[in-house]
Coordinates of all heavy atoms in Angstrom, one line a residue:
C744 N 63.9 61.9 124.0 CA 64.5 63.0 123.1 C 64.7 64.2 124.0 O 64.1 64.4 125.1 CB 63.6 63.3 122.0 SG 61.9 63.9 122.5
A745 N 65.6 65.1 123.5 CA 65.8 66.4 124.2 C 64.8 67.4 123.8 O 64.1 67.2 122.7 CB 67.3 66.8 123.9
F746 N 64.7 68.5 124.5 CA 63.7 69.5 124.2 C 64.3 70.9 124.2 O 65.3 71.2 124.9 CB 62.5 69.5 125.2 CG 61.7 68.3 125.1 CD1 62.0 67.1 125.8 CD2 60.6 68.2 124.3 CE1 61.2 66.0 125.7 CE2 59.8 67.1 124.2 CZ 60.1 66.0 124.9
Y747 N 63.7 71.8 123.4 CA 64.0 73.2 123.3 C 62.7 73.9 123.9 O 61.6 73.5 123.5 CB 64.2 73.6 121.9 CG 64.1 75.1 121.6 CD1 65.3 75.9 121.6 CD2 62.9 75.8 121.5 CE1 65.3 77.2 121.3 CE2 62.9 77.2 121.2 CZ 64.1 77.9 121.2 OH 64.0 79.2 120.9
L748 N 62.9 74.8 124.8 CA 61.8 75.5 125.5 C 62.1 77.0 125.5 O 63.2 77.4 126.0 CB 61.6 75.0 126.9 CG 60.6 75.7 127.7 CD1 59.2 75.7 127.1 CD2 60.6 75.1 129.2
R749 N 61.2 77.8 124.9 CA 61.4 79.2 125.0 C 60.2 79.8 125.8 O 59.0 79.5 125.4 CB 61.4 79.8 123.6 CG 61.6 81.4 123.7 CD 61.6 81.9 122.3 NE 61.5 83.4 122.3 CZ 62.5 84.2 122.3 NH1 63.7 83.8 122.2 NH2 62.3 85.5 122.3
L750 N 60.5 80.5 126.8 CA 59.5 81.1 127.7 C 59.7 82.6 127.8 O 60.7 83.1 127.4 CB 59.6 80.6 129.1 CG 59.5 79.1 129.3 CD1 60.1 78.7 130.7 CD2 58.1 78.6 129.2
S751 N 58.7 83.3 128.3 CA 58.8 84.7 128.6 C 58.4 84.9 130.1 O 57.3 84.3 130.5 CB 58.0 85.5 127.7 OG 58.1 86.9 128.0
D752 N 59.1 85.7 130.8 CA 58.7 85.9 132.2 C 58.9 87.4 132.5 O 59.6 88.1 131.8 CB 59.5 85.0 133.2 CG 60.9 85.5 133.4 OD1 61.2 86.5 134.0 OD2 61.8 84.7 133.0
M753 N 58.4 87.8 133.7 CA 58.4 89.2 134.1 C 59.7 89.5 134.8 O 60.0 90.6 135.2 CB 57.2 89.6 134.9 CG 55.9 89.4 134.2 SD 55.9 90.2 132.5 CE 56.0 91.9 133.0
D754 N 60.6 88.6 135.0 CA 62.0 88.7 135.5 C 62.1 89.1 137.0 O 63.0 89.8 137.4 CB 62.8 89.6 134.6 CG 64.3 89.4 134.8 OD1 64.7 88.3 135.1 OD2 65.1 90.4 134.6
P755 N 61.1 88.7 137.8 CA 61.3 89.0 139.2 C 62.4 88.0 139.8 O 62.7 87.0 139.2 CB 60.0 88.7 139.9 CG 59.4 87.6 139.0 CD 59.9 87.9 137.6
P756 N 63.0 88.4 140.9 CA 64.0 87.5 141.5 C 63.4 86.1 141.9 O 62.3 86.1 142.3 CB 64.4 88.2 142.8 CG 64.1 89.7 142.5 CD 62.9 89.7 141.6
G757 N 64.1 85.1 141.5 CA 63.6 83.7 141.9 C 62.9 83.0 140.8 O 62.7 81.8 141.0
V758 N 62.4 83.6 139.8 CA 61.6 82.9 138.8 C 62.5 81.9 138.0 O 62.0 80.8 137.7 CB 60.9 83.9 137.8 CG1 61.8 84.6 136.9 CG2 59.8 83.1 137.0
L759 N 63.7 82.2 137.7 CA 64.6 81.3 137.0 C 64.8 80.0 137.9 O 64.8 78.9 137.4 CB 65.9 81.9 136.6 CG 66.8 81.1 135.7 CD1 66.0 80.8 134.4 CD2 68.0 82.0 135.3
C760 N 64.9 80.3 139.2 CA 65.1 79.2 140.1 C 63.9 78.3 140.1 O 64.0 77.0 140.2 CB 65.4 79.7 141.5 SG 65.5 78.5 142.8
A761 N 62.7 78.9 140.1 CA 61.4 78.1 140.1 C 61.3 77.3 138.8 O 60.8 76.1 138.9 CB 60.2 79.0 140.3
I762 N 61.7 77.8 137.7 CA 61.6 77.1 136.4 C 62.5 75.9 136.4 O 62.2 74.8 136.1 CB 61.9 78.1 135.3 CG1 60.8 79.1 135.1 CG2 62.1 77.3 134.0 CD1 61.2 80.3 134.2
T763 N 63.8 76.1 136.8 CA 64.7 75.0 136.9 C 64.4 74.0 137.9 O 64.6 72.8 137.7 CB 66.2 75.5 137.1 OG1 66.3 76.3 138.3 CG2 66.6 76.4 135.9
A764 N 63.8 74.4 139.0 CA 63.3 73.5 140.1 C 62.2 72.6 139.5 O 62.2 71.4 139.8 CB 62.9 74.2 141.3
A765 N 61.3 73.1 138.7 CA 60.2 72.3 138.2 C 60.8 71.2 137.3 O 60.3 70.1 137.3 CB 59.3 73.2 137.4
L766 N 61.8 71.5 136.5 CA 62.5 70.5 135.7 C 63.2 69.5 136.6 O 63.1 68.3 136.4 CB 63.5 71.2 134.7 CG 62.8 72.1 133.6 CD1 63.9 72.9 132.9 CD2 62.1 71.2 132.6
G767 N 64.0 70.0 137.6 CA 64.8 69.1 138.4 C 63.9 68.2 139.2 O 64.3 67.0 139.5
R768 N 62.8 68.6 139.7 CA 61.9 67.8 140.5 C 61.5 66.5 139.7 O 61.3 65.4 140.3 CB 60.6 68.5 140.9 CG 60.8 69.3 142.2 CD 59.4 69.8 142.7 NE 58.7 70.6 141.8 CZ 58.8 71.9 141.6 NH1 59.7 72.5 142.3 NH2 58.1 72.5 140.7
L769 N 61.4 66.6 138.4 CA 61.1 65.4 137.6 C 62.3 64.8 136.9 O 62.1 64.0 136.1 CB 60.0 65.9 136.6 CG 58.7 66.3 137.2 CD1 57.8 66.9 136.1 CD2 58.0 65.1 137.8
G770 N 63.5 65.2 137.4 CA 64.7 64.5 136.9 C 65.1 64.9 135.5 O 65.8 64.2 134.8
I771 N 64.6 66.1 135.1 CA 65.0 66.6 133.7 C 66.3 67.5 133.9 O 66.2 68.5 134.6 CB 63.9 67.4 133.1 CG1 62.7 66.4 132.9 CG2 64.3 68.0 131.7 CD1 61.4 67.2 132.5
S772 N 67.3 67.1 133.2 CA 68.6 67.8 133.3 C 68.7 68.8 132.2 O 68.3 68.6 131.0 CB 69.7 66.8 133.1 OG 71.0 67.4 133.2
I773 N 69.2 70.0 132.6 CA 69.3 71.1 131.6 C 70.6 71.0 130.9 O 71.7 70.8 131.5 CB 69.2 72.5 132.4 CG1 67.8 72.6 132.9 CG2 69.6 73.6 131.5 CD1 67.7 73.8 133.9
S774 N 70.6 71.1 129.6 CA 71.8 71.1 128.7 C 72.3 72.6 128.6 O 73.5 72.8 128.8 CB 71.5 70.5 127.4 OG 72.6 70.6 126.5
T775 N 71.4 73.5 128.2 CA 71.8 74.9 128.1 C 70.7 75.8 128.6 O 69.5 75.4 128.6 CB 72.2 75.3 126.7 OG1 71.0 75.2 125.9 CG2 73.3 74.5 126.1
I776 N 71.1 77.0 129.0 CA 70.1 78.0 129.4 C 70.6 79.3 129.0 O 71.8 79.6 129.2 CB 69.7 77.9 130.9 CG1 68.5 78.7 131.2 CG2 70.9 78.2 131.8 CD1 67.9 78.4 132.6
N777 N 69.7 80.2 128.5 CA 70.1 81.5 128.0 C 69.0 82.5 128.3 O 67.8 82.2 128.1 CB 70.4 81.5 126.5 CG 70.9 82.8 126.0 OD1 71.5 83.6 126.7 ND2 70.8 83.0 124.7
Q778 N 69.4 83.6 128.9 CA 68.4 84.7 129.1 C 69.0 85.9 128.4 O 69.7 86.7 129.1 CB 68.2 84.9 130.6 CG 67.1 85.9 130.9 CD 66.8 86.0 132.4 OE1 67.6 85.6 133.2 NE2 65.6 86.4 132.7
P779 N 68.6 86.2 127.1 CA 69.2 87.3 126.5 C 68.6 88.6 127.0 O 67.5 88.6 127.7 CB 68.7 87.1 125.0 CG 67.8 86.0 125.0 CD 67.8 85.3 126.3
P780 N 69.2 89.7 126.8 CA 68.7 91.0 127.3 C 67.2 91.2 126.8 O 66.9 90.9 125.7 CB 69.6 92.1 126.7 CG 70.8 91.3 126.3 CD 70.4 89.9 126.0
A781 N 66.5 91.8 127.7 CA 65.0 92.1 127.3 C 64.9 93.2 126.3 O 65.5 94.3 126.5 CB 64.3 92.4 128.6
C782 N 64.1 93.0 125.3 CA 63.8 94.0 124.3 C 62.3 94.4 124.5 O 61.9 95.4 124.0 CB 64.0 93.5 122.9 SG 65.8 93.2 122.6
D783 N 61.5 93.5 125.1 CA 60.1 93.6 125.2 C 59.7 94.0 126.7 O 60.1 93.3 127.6 CB 59.4 92.3 124.8 CG 57.9 92.4 124.8 OD1 57.3 93.4 125.2 OD2 57.3 91.4 124.3
P784 N 59.0 95.1 126.9 CA 58.6 95.5 128.2 C 57.7 94.5 128.9 O 57.4 94.5 130.1 CB 58.0 96.8 128.1 CG 57.5 96.9 126.6 CD 58.5 96.0 125.9
N785 N 57.1 93.6 128.1 CA 56.1 92.6 128.6 C 56.8 91.3 129.1 O 56.1 90.4 129.6 CB 55.1 92.2 127.5 CG 54.3 93.4 127.1 OD1 53.9 94.2 128.0 ND2 54.0 93.6 125.8
G786 N 58.1 91.2 129.0 CA 58.7 90.0 129.5 C 60.1 89.8 129.0 O 60.5 90.4 128.0
V787 N 60.9 88.9 129.7 CA 62.2 88.6 129.3 C 62.2 87.2 128.8 O 61.7 86.3 129.4 CB 63.1 88.7 130.6 CG1 64.5 88.2 130.3 CG2 63.1 90.1 131.1
P788 N 62.9 86.9 127.6 CA 62.9 85.5 127.1 C 63.9 84.7 127.9 O 64.9 85.1 128.4 CB 63.4 85.7 125.7 CG 64.2 87.0 125.7 CD 63.5 87.9 126.7
I789 N 63.5 83.4 128.1 CA 64.4 82.4 128.7 C 64.3 81.2 127.7 O 63.3 80.7 127.3 CB 63.9 81.9 130.0 CG1 63.9 83.1 131.0 CG2 64.7 80.7 130.6 CD1 63.3 82.7 132.4
I790 N 65.5 80.8 127.3 CA 65.6 79.7 126.3 C 66.4 78.6 127.0 O 67.5 78.7 127.5 CB 66.4 80.1 125.1 CG1 65.6 81.3 124.4 CG2 66.5 79.0 124.1 CD1 66.4 82.1 123.4
I791 N 65.8 77.4 127.1 CA 66.3 76.2 127.7 C 66.4 75.1 126.8 O 65.4 74.8 126.0 CB 65.5 75.8 129.0 CG1 65.5 77.0 130.0 CG2 66.0 74.5 129.6 CD1 64.5 76.8 131.1
T792 N 67.5 74.3 126.7 CA 67.5 73.0 126.1 C 67.8 72.0 127.2 O 68.5 72.3 128.1 CB 68.5 72.9 124.9 OG1 69.8 73.2 125.4 CG2 68.2 73.9 123.8
T793 N 67.2 70.8 127.0 CA 67.3 69.8 128.0 C 68.1 68.6 127.4 O 68.3 68.5 126.2 CB 66.0 69.2 128.5 OG1 65.4 68.5 127.4 CG2 65.1 70.3 128.9
H794 N 68.6 67.8 128.3 CA 69.1 66.5 127.9 C 67.9 65.6 127.7 O 66.8 66.0 128.0 CB 70.0 65.9 129.0 CG 71.3 66.6 129.2 ND1 72.3 66.5 128.3 CD2 71.7 67.5 130.1 CE1 73.4 67.2 128.7 NE2 73.0 67.9 129.8
P795 N 68.1 64.4 127.0 CA 66.9 63.6 126.7 C 66.0 63.3 128.0 O 66.5 63.1 129.1 CB 67.5 62.3 126.2 CG 68.8 62.8 125.6 CD 69.3 63.9 126.5
A796 N 64.7 63.4 127.7 CA 63.7 63.1 128.7 C 62.5 62.6 128.0 O 62.3 62.8 126.8 CB 63.3 64.4 129.5
S797 N 61.7 61.9 128.7 CA 60.4 61.3 128.1 C 59.5 62.5 127.8 O 59.4 63.4 128.6 CB 59.8 60.3 128.9 OG 59.1 60.8 130.0
P798 N 58.7 62.4 126.7 CA 57.8 63.5 126.5 C 56.7 63.7 127.6 O 56.3 64.8 127.9 CB 57.1 63.0 125.2 CG 58.1 62.2 124.5 CD 58.8 61.5 125.6
G799 N 56.3 62.6 128.2 CA 55.3 62.7 129.3 C 55.9 63.4 130.5 O 55.2 64.3 131.1
T800 N 57.1 63.1 130.9 CA 57.8 63.8 132.0 C 58.0 65.3 131.7 O 57.7 66.1 132.5 CB 59.1 63.1 132.3 OG1 58.8 61.7 132.6 CG2 59.8 63.8 133.5
F801 N 58.5 65.5 130.5 CA 58.7 66.9 130.1 C 57.3 67.7 130.1 O 57.3 68.8 130.5 CB 59.3 67.0 128.7 CG 59.6 68.5 128.3 CD1 60.8 69.1 128.8 CD2 58.8 69.2 127.5 CE1 61.0 70.4 128.5 CE2 59.0 70.5 127.2 CZ 60.1 71.1 127.7
G802 N 56.3 67.1 129.6 CA 55.0 67.7 129.6 C 54.5 68.1 131.0 O 53.9 69.1 131.2
R803 N 54.7 67.2 132.0 CA 54.4 67.5 133.4 C 55.2 68.6 133.9 O 54.6 69.5 134.6 CB 54.6 66.2 134.2 CG 53.5 65.2 134.0 CD 53.5 64.1 135.1 NE 54.8 63.3 135.1 CZ 55.1 62.3 134.3 NH1 54.3 61.9 133.4 NH2 56.3 61.7 134.5
A804 N 56.4 68.7 133.6 CA 57.3 69.8 134.0 C 56.8 71.1 133.4 O 56.7 72.2 134.1 CB 58.7 69.6 133.7
L805 N 56.5 71.0 132.1 CA 56.0 72.2 131.4 C 54.7 72.8 132.0 O 54.5 74.0 132.2 CB 55.8 71.9 129.9 CG 55.3 73.1 129.1 CD1 56.3 74.2 129.1 CD2 55.1 72.6 127.6
R806 N 53.8 71.9 132.4 CA 52.5 72.3 133.1 C 52.9 73.0 134.4 O 52.3 74.1 134.7 CB 51.6 71.1 133.3 CG 50.9 70.7 132.1 CD 49.8 69.7 132.4 NE 50.3 68.5 132.9 CZ 50.7 67.4 132.2 NH1 50.7 67.5 130.9 NH2 51.1 66.3 132.8
D807 N 53.8 72.5 135.1 CA 54.2 73.1 136.4 C 54.8 74.5 136.1 O 54.5 75.5 136.9 CB 55.2 72.3 137.1 CG 54.6 71.0 137.7 OD1 53.4 70.9 137.7 OD2 55.4 70.1 138.1
I808 N 55.6 74.6 135.1 CA 56.3 75.9 134.8 C 55.2 76.9 134.3 O 55.3 78.1 134.8 CB 57.4 75.7 133.7 CG1 58.5 74.9 134.2 CG2 57.8 77.0 133.1 CD1 59.5 74.4 133.2
L809 N 54.3 76.5 133.5 CA 53.3 77.5 133.0 C 52.3 77.9 134.0 O 51.6 78.9 133.9 CB 52.6 76.9 131.8 CG 53.5 76.7 130.5 CD1 52.7 76.0 129.4 CD2 54.1 78.0 130.1
A810 N 52.3 77.1 135.1 CA 51.4 77.5 136.3 C 52.0 78.6 137.1 O 51.3 79.1 138.0 CB 51.1 76.2 137.1
L811 N 53.3 78.8 137.0 CA 53.9 79.9 137.8 C 53.3 81.2 137.4 O 53.2 81.5 136.2 CB 55.4 79.9 137.5 CG 56.2 78.6 138.0 CD1 57.6 78.7 137.4 CD2 56.2 78.5 139.5
P812 N 52.9 82.0 138.3 CA 52.3 83.3 138.0 C 53.2 84.3 137.3 O 52.7 85.2 136.5 CB 51.9 83.9 139.3 CG 52.7 83.1 140.4 CD 53.0 81.8 139.8
Q813 N 54.5 84.2 137.4 CA 55.4 85.1 136.7 C 55.7 84.7 135.3 O 56.4 85.5 134.6 CB 56.8 85.2 137.5 CG 56.6 85.4 139.0 CD 56.6 84.1 139.8 OE1 56.1 83.1 139.3 NE2 57.0 84.2 141.0
V814 N 55.3 83.5 134.9 CA 55.7 83.0 133.5 C 54.5 83.2 132.6 O 53.4 82.8 132.9 CB 56.1 81.6 133.6 CG1 56.3 81.0 132.2 CG2 57.3 81.4 134.5
S815 N 54.7 83.8 131.4 CA 53.7 84.0 130.4 C 53.3 82.6 129.9 O 54.1 81.7 129.8 CB 54.3 84.8 129.3 OG 53.4 84.8 128.2
R816 N 52.0 82.5 129.5 CA 51.5 81.2 128.9 C 52.0 81.0 127.5 O 52.0 79.9 127.0 CB 50.0 81.2 128.9 CG 49.3 81.3 130.3 CD 49.9 80.3 131.3 NE 49.4 80.6 132.7 CZ 50.1 81.1 133.6 NH1 51.3 81.5 133.4 NH2 49.6 81.3 134.8
R817 N 52.5 82.1 126.9 CA 53.0 82.0 125.5 C 54.4 81.3 125.6 O 55.3 81.7 126.3 CB 53.2 83.3 124.9 CG 51.8 84.0 124.6 CD 51.9 85.3 123.9 NE 52.6 85.1 122.7 CZ 53.1 86.1 121.9 NH1 52.9 87.3 122.3 NH2 53.7 85.8 120.8
H818 N 54.6 80.2 124.8 CA 55.8 79.5 124.9 C 56.0 78.7 123.6 O 55.1 78.6 122.8 CB 55.9 78.5 126.1 CG 54.8 77.5 126.0 ND1 53.5 77.7 126.3 CD2 54.9 76.2 125.6 CE1 52.8 76.6 126.1 NE2 53.7 75.6 125.7
T819 N 57.2 78.3 123.4 CA 57.6 77.4 122.2 C 58.3 76.2 122.7 O 59.2 76.3 123.6 CB 58.5 78.2 121.2 OG1 57.8 79.3 120.8 CG2 58.8 77.3 120.0
V820 N 57.9 75.0 122.3 CA 58.5 73.8 122.6 C 58.8 73.0 121.3 O 58.0 73.0 120.4 CB 57.6 72.9 123.5 CG1 58.2 71.5 123.7 CG2 57.3 73.5 124.8
M821 N 60.0 72.5 121.2 CA 60.4 71.6 120.1 C 61.2 70.5 120.6 O 62.0 70.6 121.5 CB 61.3 72.4 119.1 CG 60.5 73.5 118.3 SD 61.6 74.2 117.1 CE 62.5 75.4 118.1
R822 N 60.9 69.3 120.0 CA 61.8 68.1 120.3 C 63.0 68.3 119.4 O 63.0 68.7 118.3 CB 61.1 66.9 119.8 CG 59.9 66.4 120.7 CD 59.4 65.1 120.2 NE 58.3 64.7 121.1 CZ 57.7 63.5 121.0 NH1 58.1 62.7 120.1 NH2 56.8 63.2 121.8
L823 N 64.1 67.9 120.0 CA 65.4 68.1 119.4 C 65.9 66.7 118.9 O 65.9 65.7 119.7 CB 66.5 68.7 120.3 CG 66.1 70.1 120.8 CD1 67.2 70.6 121.7 CD2 66.0 71.1 119.6
L824 N 66.3 66.6 117.7 CA 66.8 65.3 117.2 C 68.2 65.1 117.7 O 69.0 66.0 117.8 CB 66.8 65.3 115.6 CG 65.4 65.5 115.0 CD1 65.5 65.6 113.5 CD2 64.5 64.3 115.4
P825 N 68.6 63.8 117.9 CA 69.9 63.5 118.4 C 71.0 63.8 117.3 O 70.8 64.0 116.2 CB 69.9 62.0 118.7 CG 68.6 61.5 118.2 CD 67.8 62.6 117.8

């Protein structure tokens, strides 16, 4: 199934690259990515939807992403129906 992922980061240069690299290392393809303007001084939202991936593989990528020091541990994940 495909996934929806909403994260918050502190927006330093390179963090978006690190997030997408974590997905790419495990073969997870991005369908859409959006970084709306920041309204919260504590972080900038990043919204990603993926092409179908196994839940286990996506979970491993998510652990890698949440381990990044610039990414908040608060996140939302949803499976997307075809």
Side-chain angles (χ1 to χ4, degrees):
C744 60
F746 291 89
Y747 166 97
L748 173 61
R749 181 182 170 94
L750 301 164
S751 181
D752 74 67
M753 298 312 295
D754 202 29
V758 71
L759 191 56
C760 178
I762 291 168
T763 59
L766 294 167
R768 274 193 301 275
L769 292 172
I771 299 171
S772 180
I773 294 171
S774 176
T775 65
I776 190 163
N777 185 22
Q778 187 175 20
C782 298
D783 184 351
N785 296 320
V787 175
I789 297 175
I790 301 163
I791 299 171
T792 59
T793 71
H794 289 285
S797 77
T800 302
F801 183 81
R803 287 192 299 278
L805 181 60
R806 282 191 295 276
D807 291 346
I808 291 167
L809 295 177
L811 296 169
Q813 309 91 333
V814 175
S815 169
R816 301 306 172 257
R817 293 182 60 189
H818 64 283
T819 301
V820 173
M821 290 186 278
R822 287 183 179 186
L823 300 176
L824 298 175

